[in-house]
Amino acid sequence: MLRASAGAAALAGLAVTGVAPARATTGTGTERTPALPPVPGMLGDRRANEVWYQLDEVALYHPTPELLAAYKAVGLQVGGNIEGGVRGLWQEMSKSPDYPGNYRDFMAPVEESLRVISDIQLGVFDSLYRPYDPRLVGAFAYFGEGVLYDPRRESVHSPVHTMDSLPTVPPPGYHTWFAYMRAMMLLGIDRPRWTAFASLMAYAWALQSVAKPTTQTPSSPLPRETVVRFAASWLPRGPRRLDADFQYYPYPRGIS
């Protein structure tokens, strides 16, 4: 296996089990991860639905005052936009011969704010999965494929858990999240965790680029051989390889 972070490499070795289910399943769970009650009308993996639901809850729909303050600080540092500003800054600086030091130094004044964001996001994942849990491969694959239907999100007209987008274009959200992950890695904020998550997120981006899901209707699972092939290719990739991959938009190189 290509060399990567220990966490990402371990997950890649288990990715061959990733097949999107057709209906909601509760699974047996493992020690230190909670059992989850069924949700009527839910489609797809129960735990994966829950983690994306909870991440939206704490990061988007009901952020704490502490998180809002962190967002504000980051926004001010990058010119006011916590999404496009961070993404654009990373895209510009990552093309410089001074990268990654230039990006690290620029984001250093908001290190504590990034630490707040990191703690909250990782806290959601850790409430439902163990660190480096092999089931995270499926959670990100299902997200990219757009097979997770959560009726609890019908009220906001986005019942499919996937990166929001027009039907045929992967959104810049993957690039935005990667820009945050790189800042956190470079500043030593939960570096091993975000190194592993970066390859998982890139894997979801690649799958979404092929599946082209919508947020309204769950997609059919991609062929198992596609899911496995993409896992073998994307999960072992380290940060510097992903720096090059995320120069491409909207699709990864070689995908249209």
Side-chain angles (χ1 to χ4, degrees):
M1 182 177 291
L2 296 175
R3 184 166 183 164
S5 72
L11 291 172
L14 292 161
V16 294
T17 61
V19 181
R23 61 182 182 277
T25 57
T26 58
T28 58
T30 60
E31 290 183 7
R32 292 179 290 161
T33 57
L36 300 171
V39 174
M42 179 177 285
L43 302 175
D45 183 84
R46 177 67 182 89
R47 190 169 300 274
N49 265 295
E50 190 67 25
V51 79
W52 297 114
Y53 176 85
Q54 294 298 338
L55 190 61
D56 279 347
E57 285 289 289
V58 302
L60 179 62
Y61 294 116
H62 305 291
T64 64
E66 182 185 28
L67 181 57
L68 288 174
Y71 286 159
K72 182 178 180 180
V74 172
L76 290 173
Q77 179 68 10
V78 300
N81 190 318
I82 63 171
E83 295 183 5
V86 175
R87 182 176 67 249
L89 179 75
W90 174 81
Q91 289 173 331
E92 177 183 352
M93 289 191 168
S94 63
K95 294 179 175 67
S96 167
D98 296 327
Y99 181 81
N102 58 346
Y103 187 56
R104 179 198 62 227
D105 293 345
F106 189 89
M107 298 299 282
V110 290
E111 178 178 346
E112 290 309 309
S113 295
L114 290 170
R115 194 174 300 279
V116 169
I117 294 169
S118 175
D119 288 346
I120 288 173
Q121 291 186 357
L122 290 177
V124 172
F125 285 100
D126 290 349
S127 71
L128 290 155
Y129 295 92
R130 291 171 284 110
Y132 309 108
D133 195 319
R135 294 173 297 174
L136 286 165
V137 174
F140 277 83
Y142 305 144
F143 183 74
E145 290 179 277
V147 299
L148 300 172
Y149 186 90
D150 193 335
R152 295 173 295 180
R153 283 283 175 257
E154 290 175 348
S155 62
V156 294
H157 309 292
S158 298
V160 175
H161 290 301
T162 196
M163 194 69 78
D164 286 357
S165 175
L166 296 172
T168 57
V169 180
Y174 288 109
H175 292 68
T176 302
W177 202 5
F178 182 71
Y180 273 88
M181 290 181 183
R182 284 302 272 139
M184 293 187 285
M185 288 182 226
L186 292 169
L187 291 169
I189 302 169
D190 300 301
R191 186 196 308 270
R193 301 289 305 280
W194 288 119
T195 299
F197 270 107
S199 59
L200 286 166
M201 187 267 296
Y203 170 51
W205 172 44
L207 290 174
Q208 184 158 345
S209 298
V210 174
K212 297 179 173 62
T214 75
T215 60
Q216 300 299 311
T217 305
S219 299
S220 298
L222 290 172
R224 184 176 185 274
E225 56 269 25
T226 300
V227 175
V228 172
R229 176 166 52 86
F230 275 41
S233 173
W234 286 88
L235 293 180
R237 299 187 187 194
R240 293 313 298 266
R241 170 65 185 273
L242 294 175
D243 281 340
D245 291 324
F246 277 98
Q247 297 299 328
Y248 292 87
Y249 178 81
Y251 303 106
R253 185 178 184 181
I255 299 177
S256 60

